[in-house]
């Protein structure tokens, strides 16, 4: 009998915005407040928020700066059940890595958000997923791409089709796509991808494997 694989520690890649917290809903409120644009969360059709909110370059930059202010980052609501499920995995001996596309300037507030939501034990890394440095001068990311590619994961939870390319080097990775209005039309690239509507479903899918 082979017991070798029975109890093995798993590694989870978890995206921050719109997986751990309700960033899209917050953007909808910010766009209304700053520019009087009414685009309800359900109607955010594109991952590119400049397109979804029909903003000029200048207004888009303004919105991104506003959305990354520490007090705004700290105000984002938790996606229901996120911290409960992640803590359950950590209690079982698994490792959770939050790999966010936020720039390193947002690290401190993001870390604080995690701590305030009972996620003191997760690791946080900022990876340049989207090439958004434009909105902050001298911004950098604390996780270099070459170091990211040395990391291995068993599961990934991500909402953005633009980030799927970061999974290409891990053929056995199980990717759970957090169901959001802006990823409805995207086709899942491979059979190891599946859609999840919430953290309860993510938890069940991991338990089933
Ligand atoms: Mg995201």
């Amino acid at each position: 009998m082979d017991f070798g694989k029975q109890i093995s520690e798993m590694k989870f890649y978890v995206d921050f915005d719109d997986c751990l917290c309700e960033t899209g809903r917050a953007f909808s409120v910010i766009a209304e407040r700053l520019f009087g644009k009414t685009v309800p969360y359900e109607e955010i059709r594109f991952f590119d928020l400049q397109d979804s909110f029909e903003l000029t370059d200048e207004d888009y930059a303004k919105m991104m700066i506003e959305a990354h202010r520490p007090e705004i980052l700290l105000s984002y609501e938790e996606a229901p059940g996120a911290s409960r499920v992640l803590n359950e995995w950590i209690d079982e001996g698994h490792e959770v890595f939050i790999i966010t596309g936020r720039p390193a300037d947002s690290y401190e507030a993001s870390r604080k958000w995690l701590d305030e939501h009972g996620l003191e034990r997760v690791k946080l890394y900022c990876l340049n997923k989207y090439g958004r440095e434009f909105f902050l001068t001298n911004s950098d990311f604390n996780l270099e791409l070459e170091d990211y590619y040395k990391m291995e994961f068993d599961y990934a939870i991500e909402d953005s089709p633009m980030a799927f390319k970061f999974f290409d080097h891990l053929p056995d990775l199980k990717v759970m796509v957090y169901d959001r209005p802006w990823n409805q039309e995207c086709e899942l690239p491979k059979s190891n991808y599946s859609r999840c509507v919430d953290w309860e479903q993510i938890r069940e899918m991991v338990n089933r494997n």
Side-chain angles (χ1 to χ4, degrees):
M1 268 183 152
D2 177 20
F3 293 103
K5 280 203 157 174
Q6 227 170 23
I7 306 168
S8 60
E9 183 203 284
M10 295 188 292
K11 289 183 164 55
F12 292 85
Y13 162 124
V14 182
D15 175 46
F16 206 132
D17 290 294
D18 294 301
C19 288
L20 282 185
C21 66
E22 300 288 343
T23 313
R25 291 179 197 277
F27 269 95
S28 177
V29 175
I30 292 169
E32 172 100 50
R33 174 162 59 80
L34 291 186
F35 314 114
K37 300 256 180 188
T38 308
V39 180
Y41 163 78
E42 294 75 15
E43 288 169 27
I44 305 177
R45 287 195 44 230
F46 311 107
F47 183 74
D48 184 331
L49 295 170
Q50 186 171 4
D51 281 354
S52 280
F53 291 95
E54 297 179 342
L55 298 174
T56 62
D57 290 351
E58 196 188 337
D59 282 354
Y60 177 54
K62 257 188 219 161
M63 184 167 79
M64 294 304 276
I65 289 167
E66 175 68 8
H68 287 77
R69 284 201 297 125
E71 52 271 50
I72 301 290
L73 288 174
L74 282 165
S75 73
Y76 293 164
E77 295 285 332
E78 180 182 334
S83 69
R84 184 175 49 83
V85 173
L86 294 183
N87 278 317
E88 193 176 293
W89 291 341
I90 294 167
D91 289 342
E92 289 167 2
H94 307 305
E95 268 190 285
V96 175
F97 300 83
I98 310 301
I99 311 285
T100 181
R102 295 178 184 176
D105 313 57
S106 315
Y107 183 92
E108 212 175 312
S110 303
R111 181 71 257 177
K112 194 168 176 207
W113 188 97
L114 293 168
D115 296 346
E116 285 182 356
H117 289 81
L119 291 167
E120 297 88 345
R121 295 179 294 169
V122 303
K123 298 177 183 75
L124 172 65
Y125 296 94
C126 299
L127 176 71
N128 190 0
K129 296 185 195 175
Y130 312 119
R132 277 180 185 158
E133 317 76 341
F134 71 89
F135 71 89
L136 290 166
T137 48
N138 304 321
S139 80
D140 58 23
F141 293 84
N142 68 346
L143 182 59
E144 296 294 333
L145 264 184
E146 64 167 344
D147 292 324
Y148 169 75
Y149 281 113
K150 287 176 198 154
M151 298 170 86
E152 286 188 16
F153 305 101
D154 300 283
Y155 287 91
I157 296 129
E158 177 59 78
D159 68 291
S160 167
M162 282 170 74
F164 292 169
K165 65 180 179 208
F166 293 106
F167 307 140
D168 289 347
H169 66 302
L170 297 170
D172 297 326
L173 179 73
K174 293 171 198 74
V175 182
M176 290 177 281
V177 180
Y178 203 112
D179 215 31
R180 294 292 185 183
W182 48 89
N183 62 33
Q184 292 309 303
E185 283 164 31
C186 108
E187 265 184 58
L188 303 186
K190 289 190 288 184
S191 61
N192 55 334
Y193 282 64
S194 43
R195 277 183 187 279
C196 293
V197 294
D198 58 19
W199 276 95
E200 195 45 48
Q201 193 183 5
I202 291 168
R203 182 180 172 274
E204 278 168 25
M205 289 181 73
V206 170
N207 282 346
R208 220 182 296 148
N209 277 292

